[in-house]
Amino acid sequence: ETGVTQTPRHLVMGMTNKKSLKCEQHLGHNAMYWYKQSAKKPLELMFVYNFKEQTENNSVPSRFSPECPNSSHLFLHLHTLQPEDSALYLCASSQDQSEAFFGQGTRLTVV
Amino acid sequence: GEDVEQSLFLSVREGDSSVINCTYTDSSSTYLYWYKQEPGAGLQLLTYIFSNMDMKQDQRLTVLLNKKDKHLSLRIADTQTGDSAIYFCAESPNYGQNFVFGPGTRLSVLP
């Protein structure tokens, strides 16, 4: 148990579907992150939230829409995805200068 | 931009020492990390080192940092089959944020 919980663990969706990934942290951290891990690429940072405010968006397509309603929860809303968006999506949290704690990830397959 | 590089594969015999190497380009990196990813799991922080240190030891793990050459290594003593995983090097130039990860080194431990 890492203190960062992601649901669902696996998701298969069609290109016309709308789905959401959920991340919850019980560590009292003030920053949360979404990362994408594709099979043939290094881990890519997608979004950063500090104190519920988005502070970074690394040129992520608008078909990915993050939401951070409070400092413990982070969502990634997905719509009209492409097959190349299939990847492992990792959520992480950290407190200022401390190390990041990662969830187990959601394995997403777009068909 | 920042870049972190690692060799992609490493094979060792059980009981031998493993050394996983990493190079980075950002001279302002404050923290350097080693994460482990086992099959089907999220990232697990193994250890980290501040940029003003040159060595850190934690049980079977030894981290060496050569700041002049921007080279980080992870040595695993008495490598076991349970150490088989992907090991990610990461650097964080800003106080616990904006992690930049390497592509990961897949460590295979042979019996």
Side-chain angles (χ1 to χ4, degrees):
Chain A
E1 175 59 54
T2 65
V4 180
T5 305
Q6 289 187 243
T7 54
R9 294 290 307 280
H10 300 273
L11 177 63
V12 179
M13 60 186 287
M15 289 190 285
T16 59
N17 290 160
K18 289 183 181 180
K19 296 286 184 183
S20 296
L21 309 185
K22 179 182 176 183
C23 176
E24 187 174 357
Q25 58 100 356
H26 309 280
L27 301 166
H29 289 165
N30 57 12
M32 295 187 77
Y33 314 78
W34 279 116
Y35 287 87
K36 175 183 178 183
Q37 186 182 23
S38 303
K40 298 178 181 178
K41 288 185 177 181
L43 201 64
E44 299 172 78
L45 177 64
M46 299 175 72
F47 300 104
V48 180
Y49 276 83
N50 271 296
F51 294 102
K52 304 184 299 178
E53 300 295 323
Q54 187 180 125
T55 57
E56 187 157 340
N57 175 341
N58 275 358
S59 303
V60 180
S62 59
R63 56 186 185 269
F64 295 92
S65 173
E67 179 192 359
C68 189
N70 55 61
S71 56
S72 299
H73 293 85
L74 185 64
F75 295 89
L76 188 63
H77 303 300
L78 316 170
H79 63 97
T80 59
L81 294 192
Q82 304 298 311
E84 58 265 30
D85 296 322
S86 298
L88 180 69
Y89 288 84
L90 290 161
C91 172
S93 70
S94 72
Q95 179 69 24
D96 299 326
Q97 300 185 39
S98 72
E99 67 272 20
F101 289 80
F102 285 81
Q104 291 193 297
T106 296
R107 173 76 57 192
L108 174 67
T109 303
V110 181
V111 298
Chain B
E2 302 93 351
D3 193 21
V4 178
E5 295 187 355
Q6 303 175 237
S7 52
L8 297 182
F9 302 97
L10 176 66
S11 292
V12 299
R13 293 263 175 217
E14 192 173 10
D16 288 350
S17 292
S18 308
V19 179
I20 304 172
N21 294 303
C22 168
T23 57
Y24 59 98
T25 59
D26 188 354
S27 57
S28 65
S29 298
T30 306
Y31 297 86
L32 296 130
Y33 310 81
W34 283 105
Y35 283 87
K36 176 183 181 182
Q37 186 180 33
E38 297 185 58
L43 293 170
Q44 172 197 357
L45 177 68
L46 284 179
T47 186
Y48 67 97
I49 190 168
F50 293 99
S51 58
N52 62 357
M53 300 168 63
D54 52 22
M55 188 182 90
K56 182 177 180 181
Q57 187 155 4
D58 183 3
Q59 299 182 337
R60 292 192 298 125
L61 305 179
T62 303
V63 178
L64 295 177
L65 173 61
N66 182 328
K67 196 173 179 183
K68 175 176 171 290
D69 294 339
K70 299 189 184 68
H71 182 267
L72 183 74
S73 67
L74 174 69
R75 179 177 181 270
I76 306 173
D78 187 26
T79 312
Q80 303 298 307
T81 54
D83 295 323
S84 293
I86 302 176
Y87 290 81
F88 289 91
C89 170
E91 58 98 3
S92 173
N94 303 324
Y95 304 125
Q97 301 175 24
N98 298 327
F99 292 87
V100 178
F101 283 82
T105 299
R106 183 177 293 278
L107 174 65
S108 299
V109 182
L110 309 173

